[in-house]
Amino acid sequence: MIKNSEGKIWHFRKGLIDFSGNVIKSVFGIILLVLSVSSVIYTCELKNTETALEVTFYNRDNILKYIILCIIFLSVLLIKKRKKKNIEKKKISFNEDKINQCLIGVHAIIGLIWVVGIQLKPRADQWFCSTIGGNLLTSNYDKIDFSKGGYLDQYPFQSGLVLIFKMVYKFFGINNYMAFQMLNIIALIIMDIFLIKILRKFISVRVEKITLFFLILFFPIVFYTTFLYGNLIGCALSIVAIFYELSFFEKHKILDMIFSAMFISLAILFKSNYLIILLAMIIFAILDWIIHLQKKNIIFVIVIIIGYMIATSGPIALLNSQENVNLGTGIPKVAWIAMGMQESDMAPGWYNEYNANTYLNNNCDSELTSKEALNYINDRVKYFEKNPKYTLKFYAKKMVSQWCEPTFGGIWINQFDKNIVVSSYMDSILNGHKLGKILVWILDIVQSIIYILALIYVFMNRKNRNIYVWLPATAFIGGFLFHMLWEAKGQYTFTYFILLIPYAAIALKNIVKKIEDTEN
């Protein structure tokens, strides 16, 4: 990989890249091993309660079903292999690209049917951002959300999403929820297309159909098309950013650098959590600099950081200027870390109003809130050190609640107010009747299979020295670790789960090929 270098410096650079690759592979593999075992043993379930909170229930999974599925899978492959030996088949040529386009079209149609069939109204943070965006277009808005203790005073990082709602409603009408949901459908299509593009950079063998098949089976993507929040659009934009960064690493074109920085900045504009993807991108820009010693990499990092600053500070400055308000820093980030260390009625580390209550109790003073949160974190760390069994159980339950709930909160978020009466089929899914139980059962299997196949990919490619294939893995590691510290929620983690699908698809293709090529 490293060229045109000699002596000790060359060996140091090469050793640094090899070491970095081994660290990423090791950490990625350990996380996937833990998740694979956990997902086979446990299946979490989110249930709505009278308080409208998504309470997590921890259920033991049936390991026997995975054993039966493995036996069926191997039997089908062996039968297929014998038929290949005994029967001379006619070769039928298919246009791979057209098949992929059809599969992406099917995925989009399923999403469209879900959006039109559910017509979900926003609630909680979605509702606040949507309502404020619409209010900005009215002449009689009292701007209470900008005042001390108001929604945007507490959460100024939502300013970007508020401005996006304002723009959407300006063109399509205030509270035209479906217009935003159509953007989610477009995001779904973009996600499919660019995951395929990323996949082609990792492997020459065509595995697009398997990837798209997994994406279609992973129904939480469709569930979140009704969600009026930045999760799905931000995920799509960050995947596009990863693709252009990988393209930049190939030929170091300025245009690829600009596109990559632009798309990750837009992703953060929709959802600030995609800072995790940005950090993974910066790590690999540095690694690529170590390999090629290109000055463009340094410029790339600077451009990404500038883009991040514009995406986070720009909307706040714009609202302050346009609306003649004074949004500050709001609730400090350490308050979320403190909350992530606490018990909750939903599950360990989930939302429990600590951050907002602490901010309000400190008279909306960010500095005082930060001090109180830091004191709490210090005390909590001491408690964790003295009670290792409790600590292990706390973080195990926090992890499982996020990563072993097969819908990733997707069904729960669709259970609230709608503009229409849903069909009996969708009612069955949403309320856990026959169709819903079948779908959750399938999703549970898909979730476990993707974890296991991604783990197999790591094992099969443990000697792969192409460090670039581990960029999505690094983003996944970041998402996993971040939400072990931060507020926990399936609606945040499912976007990182999507990054595992290309690895799983490649592993499945390799497994099938090895079995088919094995001589009896």
Side-chain angles (χ1 to χ4, degrees):
M1 280 193 303
I2 298 173
K3 299 176 182 179
N4 302 323
S5 299
E6 296 179 0
K8 292 181 180 179
I9 296 175
W10 182 87
H11 286 292
F12 175 76
R13 287 165 54 208
K14 182 177 179 297
L16 195 57
I17 293 299
D18 290 342
F19 175 76
S20 301
N22 289 334
V23 169
I24 293 168
K25 284 180 274 189
S26 299
V27 174
F28 190 42
I30 290 167
I31 292 172
L32 288 172
L33 177 62
V34 171
L35 291 177
S36 298
V37 173
S38 300
S39 67
V40 170
I41 296 173
Y42 288 101
T43 297
C44 288
E45 182 183 5
L46 281 187
K47 286 187 179 179
N48 192 16
T49 63
E50 292 179 359
T51 58
L53 297 176
E54 62 267 51
V55 178
T56 300
F57 292 83
Y58 299 84
N59 304 318
R60 284 276 184 174
D61 207 344
N62 187 352
I63 300 175
L64 184 62
K65 70 184 179 187
Y66 297 104
I67 297 171
I68 293 170
L69 282 169
C70 285
I71 293 170
I72 293 171
F73 173 71
L74 291 171
S75 300
V76 169
L77 284 180
L78 289 171
I79 291 168
K80 185 181 173 184
K81 182 182 172 183
R82 285 185 179 181
K83 282 185 176 181
K84 270 190 175 182
K85 282 188 172 183
N86 299 324
I87 300 171
E88 198 174 313
K89 291 185 176 181
K90 291 181 181 180
K91 289 187 177 179
I92 303 171
S93 60
F94 294 100
N95 189 313
E96 293 279 348
D97 291 331
K98 284 188 177 180
I99 294 172
N100 295 340
Q101 289 166 13
C102 287
L103 289 171
I104 292 169
V106 168
H107 203 189
I109 290 167
I110 294 170
L112 188 62
I113 291 169
W114 187 260
V115 164
V116 174
I118 295 290
Q119 294 195 29
L120 188 71
K121 293 180 182 179
R123 61 182 295 275
D125 290 302
Q126 308 168 70
W127 182 85
F128 278 108
C129 293
S130 169
T131 302
I132 297 168
N135 285 339
L136 292 176
L137 296 170
T138 62
S139 57
N140 58 348
Y141 178 40
D142 59 11
K143 298 178 184 175
I144 191 171
D145 297 293
F146 293 88
S147 61
K148 191 175 183 178
Y151 183 80
L152 281 181
D153 175 66
Q154 295 183 55
Y155 311 105
F157 59 83
Q158 298 282 38
S159 298
L161 190 57
V162 166
L163 287 172
I164 289 163
F165 273 112
K166 179 185 176 182
M167 191 182 301
V168 171
Y169 291 158
K170 185 176 182 179
F171 286 103
F172 299 101
I174 295 175
N175 295 337
N176 187 340
Y177 305 140
M178 196 170 285
F180 193 98
Q181 290 165 342
M182 288 300 120
L183 292 178
N184 282 336
I185 300 291
I186 294 170
L188 179 151
I189 295 168
I190 291 170
M191 197 183 302
D192 288 351
I193 292 169
F194 278 87
L195 275 174
I196 293 302
K197 286 177 175 288
I198 290 171
L199 192 68
R200 287 173 180 170
K201 291 184 179 297
F202 292 167
I203 190 169
S204 57
V205 180
R206 300 294 293 265
V207 292
E208 292 97 327
K209 292 196 294 294
I210 299 173
T211 303
L212 290 169
F213 183 64
F214 277 146
L215 285 166
I216 292 169
L217 277 180
F218 185 55
F219 223 76
I221 299 175
V222 170
F223 291 148
Y224 277 94
T225 54
T226 58
F227 199 51
L228 271 72
Y229 218 34
N231 303 55
L232 208 59
I233 301 172
C235 180
L237 292 168
S238 63
I239 287 170
V240 176
I242 289 172
F243 167 76
Y244 279 110
E245 182 174 39
L246 290 169
S247 298
F248 171 73
F249 293 153
E250 288 176 346
K251 297 180 180 179
H252 295 93
K253 290 183 178 179
I254 296 292
L255 199 59
D256 289 329
M257 176 183 76
I258 292 169
F259 281 150
S260 183
M262 180 181 71
F263 282 112
I264 193 60
S265 300
L266 287 171
I268 291 168
L269 186 70
F270 275 90
K271 191 70 180 168
S272 59
N273 292 46
Y274 292 104
L275 170 62
I276 298 163
I277 306 286
L278 181 144
L279 292 174
M281 290 171 63
I282 288 176
I283 290 169
F284 271 77
I286 294 169
L287 292 174
D288 186 70
W289 175 79
I290 294 170
I291 293 169
H292 296 105
L293 297 179
Q294 283 269 357
K295 291 180 181 178
K296 289 178 184 177
N297 288 74
I298 299 169
I299 298 170
F300 184 34
V301 172
I302 293 169
V303 171
I304 286 179
I305 292 170
I306 291 170
Y308 166 74
M309 291 169 66
I310 293 171
T312 52
S313 302
I316 296 172
L318 190 61
L319 281 175
N320 284 340
S321 174
Q322 287 183 348
E323 304 301 322
N324 193 26
V325 293
N326 186 28
L327 292 176
T329 55
I331 301 171
K333 301 295 184 287
V334 290
W336 268 272
I337 296 174
M339 185 170 66
M341 301 170 78
Q342 297 174 17
E343 296 288 353
S344 166
D345 291 334
M346 294 185 274
W350 285 53
Y351 187 77
N352 63 4
E353 299 183 345
Y354 167 84
N355 51 2
N357 288 340
T358 306
Y359 183 68
L360 295 172
N361 291 338
N362 282 286
N363 198 29
C364 302
D365 187 309
S366 298
E367 191 174 334
L368 290 175
T369 304
S370 180
K371 285 180 181 178
E372 184 173 332
L374 285 169
N375 288 334
Y376 177 84
I377 290 169
N378 186 50
D379 293 340
R380 191 64 167 160
V381 168
K382 290 177 182 177
Y383 182 82
F384 283 154
E385 288 175 350
K386 292 177 182 178
N387 299 274
K389 287 184 180 179
Y390 168 81
T391 305
L392 182 62
K393 186 177 179 182
F394 177 91
Y395 281 105
K397 291 182 76 174
K398 184 178 182 180
M399 179 196 71
V400 171
S401 68
Q402 297 180 89
W403 297 98
C404 297
E405 194 278 292
T407 74
F408 287 89
I411 289 179
W412 182 84
I413 60 111
N414 282 282
Q415 289 177 338
F416 296 93
D417 291 342
K418 301 168 185 64
N419 286 320
I420 60 168
V421 176
V422 300
S423 70
S424 58
Y425 298 106
M426 291 187 174
D427 179 73
S428 179
I429 292 171
L430 295 177
N431 293 302
H433 301 317
K434 188 175 182 180
L435 192 58
K437 288 177 180 177
I438 292 171
L439 184 58
V440 171
W441 188 83
I442 293 170
L443 287 175
D444 183 33
I445 293 170
V446 169
Q447 185 182 63
S448 299
I449 285 174
I450 288 174
Y451 285 142
I452 294 166
L453 286 174
L455 176 61
I456 291 171
Y457 176 90
V458 176
F459 178 77
M460 285 181 163
N461 290 270
R462 65 192 183 278
K463 295 181 181 179
N464 188 343
R465 302 186 74 175
N466 178 11
I467 197 167
Y468 300 108
V469 302
W470 305 110
L471 173 52
T474 304
F476 176 85
I477 292 168
F480 178 87
L481 296 177
F482 178 77
H483 286 288
M484 288 297 285
L485 294 173
W486 200 259
E487 175 193 358
K489 212 161 204 178
Q491 67 176 247
Y492 302 144
T493 56
F494 93 96
T495 55
Y496 301 101
F497 180 87
I498 291 168
L499 297 176
L500 298 179
I501 289 176
Y503 296 123
I506 296 170
L508 181 59
K509 181 75 174 181
N510 289 338
I511 291 168
V512 171
K513 190 175 184 302
K514 280 184 180 293
I515 292 172
E516 288 181 344
D517 291 347
T518 303
E519 292 294 329
N520 284 336

